[in-house]
Amino acid sequence: VTRQEIVSMLPPLLADIQSNHSVFDMCAAPGSKTAQVLEFIRTRGDPTGFVLANDADSKRAYLLTHQMNRLNTANLGIINHFAQDFPGDFKFDRVLCDVPCSSDAAIRKL
């Protein structure tokens, strides 16, 4: 079980992710949406799709790796790269980009 805000759950729901989709999660840490996308891939048919989860900040990418280890799946790759510089010759079925603009919801907690 992973706790997350309702608004954080909406992007993966609206993306209509299927089990054969390749998904690039550009700003993935801490990983709640990534886990949700992986759940869709693994439960909606034969799981031939995958998620490439990225975060530009190395500390956040480390946290992401730690969080994703508990899922024990082969449908996931994690990278530490500036998303705006990611090579354009890769094609994905879906791209998720939820940029960290509110310091992990710290504004809402005030």
Side-chain angles (χ1 to χ4, degrees):
V1 175
T2 302
R3 291 181 54 190
Q4 62 179 334
E5 297 283 338
I6 291 174
V7 296
S8 293
M9 298 171 68
L10 292 177
L13 285 171
L14 297 174
D16 189 33
I17 297 164
Q18 301 302 314
S19 63
N20 63 334
H21 282 170
S22 58
V23 180
F24 183 31
D25 191 350
M26 297 176 90
C27 304
S32 58
K33 282 185 263 328
T34 306
Q36 187 179 1
V37 169
L38 280 166
E39 181 180 341
F40 292 155
I41 287 173
R42 294 174 66 184
T43 60
R44 294 184 174 176
D46 186 25
T48 58
F50 67 92
V51 177
L52 183 59
N54 176 65
D55 206 276
D57 183 275
S58 61
K59 290 178 184 175
R60 290 176 60 87
Y62 178 80
L63 172 65
L64 174 66
T65 302
H66 177 73
Q67 292 293 340
M68 294 299 106
N69 277 337
R70 66 186 170 88
L71 299 178
N72 194 27
T73 181
N75 304 68
L76 173 68
I78 298 174
I79 60 173
N80 175 218
H81 196 77
F82 287 110
Q84 67 267 28
D85 296 332
F86 194 77
D89 52 346
F90 289 93
K91 304 295 181 208
F92 296 93
D93 296 303
R94 301 288 188 269
V95 175
L96 180 62
C97 185
D98 188 9
V99 296
C101 61
S102 63
S103 298
D104 294 327
I107 293 172
R108 186 169 186 201
K109 295 176 186 175
L110 294 178

